[in-house]
Amino acid sequence: MNKKITRPTLSAPSAARAVKPDSAAPTASSPATAAPRLSSSGPRARAVADAAARRKREPKAGVSFGVSTDHDQTEPPIESKREGRFEGRRNTKSDVGNNRNASKVGNAANQATHSRDTFKKPYGKPGPASTSSADTKPAFLKPRSARSPNSKDFRPALPRAVAASLAAMAPVKEAGVPGAADITRPAPDDGTVRLSKLMSAQGIASRREADAWIAKGWVKVDGTVISALGSRILPTQKITIDRVAELEQQSRVTVLLNKPVGYVSGQAEDGHLPASVLFVDENRWEEDADETVFHPMQAKGLAPAGRLDIDSIGLIVFTQDGRVAKQLIGDGSEVEKEYLVRVEGSLSASDLALLNHGLSLDGQALRPAKVDWQNEDQLRFVLREGKKRQIRRMCELVGLTVVGLKRVRIGKIVLGHLPVGQWRYLAADETFG
């Protein structure tokens, strides 16, 4: 009697692992390669099912990987019970590599994306090509509000504080001023002059002081306050300054010092002290008739208006007033300086004429001077310029050696009986010009 043989069935967990093998592998139903019948609970059946699952996950040789465009269809990570780790990353790649159709679909999707990017609008969101001239304009031809923030020509707005500072630096039109158009940014040939330059030319203040007063609102043109730096006006317009500026200017001092040998006129150098250190109350001349009260803060901003070399003595001026400095050492200054010079050597009449006019220093011709004999070994020089060591170098050019030099006058101010190393204030009624 023939016994009826039935095919065993797998349990649910085993069926999940027993994935159908690749098409190239022999099937269980093939007569030549029929798989033996296994027990659903045996270890051999589980091993066969695990091997079939691994073969499905591994990529085939010679098959190129495509690019999957449907990330939502990616299978979740599969945990291997045998290895005890996640295979999700490798499983995701192998799914794409094993499927030739997925590779073709991925390549086609890439080509479609490239074509769509080729026909994007010049600016804005991707979309179909447009034939409108407004869409194809370069960014720099579009209004600022229409430019994309991602454009190379996009320029963000300046911070409010920076924009306000730049606006304050530009000359603005002052209302209520006769000829107000002259105070705006001028044409080169409109006859206007920068306000601070005109104030300096008229002796009201130095250009630096004028700019400071303008910024503080202390300057008026024809009765109207001008507070914009760089403003230009006509030379015929009337300039007035505030009372506060006048008081500040009057509080600035000018000091006359009889500099001794061994002090430099400017900053300390080579271990020699500047002559400004002598400006202390103990060195004030007892016969100074000026009523100005000394204060140590007066030394702040006190600068020499001219030079006198370390081996020379005599009158030197220190001032806080920019008008005085401009008058003495400004371009085109005509204030005379008188010196008494003790020399050694012989001087011919022709060389004396050269000292008066005809010499050059540093490649530049010197301005005419007044040079004559005071006695057998002393010359008197009157100059209207002040190059470095000018008198000593002039004497060397004609064969003379200077053994002593003393400055006795600057403009209308004479050294007089001021002792060496002492100082006095320039009185309110004294001027150099």
Side-chain angles (χ1 to χ4, degrees), residues 287-331:
E287 298 182 17
D288 185 6
D290 193 84
E291 297 180 356
T292 304
V293 178
F294 173 81
H295 192 280
M297 287 300 295
Q298 293 172 347
K300 184 178 180 181
L302 204 63
R307 61 168 60 93
L308 194 62
D309 61 66
I310 189 172
D311 298 322
S312 303
I313 64 173
L315 184 61
I316 186 171
V317 179
F318 289 87
T319 183
Q320 296 175 327
D321 195 334
R323 298 172 302 171
V324 174
K326 182 179 182 298
Q327 183 183 14
L328 298 181
I329 60 176
D331 295 338

Side-chain angles (χ1 to χ4, degrees), residues 394-414:
M394 289 173 66
C395 290
E396 291 175 0
L397 291 176
V398 295
L400 296 177
T401 302
V402 175
V403 295
L405 190 151
K406 180 179 182 180
R407 183 155 60 193
V408 296
R409 179 175 64 89
I410 299 178
K412 297 179 179 180
I413 305 300
V414 296

Side-chain angles (χ1 to χ4, degrees), residues 215-331:
K216 294 178 180 178
W218 293 351
V219 180
K220 296 181 180 180
V221 175
D222 291 341
T224 301
V225 175
I226 304 296
S227 59
L229 295 177
S231 298
R232 302 175 72 93
I233 66 171
L234 291 171
T236 56
Q237 292 182 269
K238 183 180 180 180
I239 302 173
T240 56
I241 60 174
D242 194 89
R243 178 61 179 168
V244 179
E246 293 179 354
L247 294 175
E248 180 185 276
Q249 196 172 59
Q250 292 173 6
S251 65
R252 297 177 181 177
V253 298
T254 298
V255 175
L256 309 175
L257 170 70
N258 189 349
K259 187 188 85 67
V261 175
Y263 289 85
V264 293
S265 56
Q267 299 293 328
E269 57 182 62
D270 300 331
H272 299 286
L273 294 174
S276 58
V277 301
L278 298 173
F279 181 64
V280 293
D281 194 26
E282 293 78 8
N283 293 333
R284 185 175 182 179
W285 189 27
E286 294 181 354
E287 298 182 17
D288 185 6
D290 193 84
E291 297 180 356
T292 304
V293 178
F294 173 81
H295 192 280
M297 287 300 295
Q298 293 172 347
K300 184 178 180 181
L302 204 63
R307 61 168 60 93
L308 194 62
D309 61 66
I310 189 172
D311 298 322
S312 303
I313 64 173
L315 184 61
I316 186 171
V317 179
F318 289 87
T319 183
Q320 296 175 327
D321 195 334
R323 298 172 302 171
V324 174
K326 182 179 182 298
Q327 183 183 14
L328 298 181
I329 60 176
D331 295 338

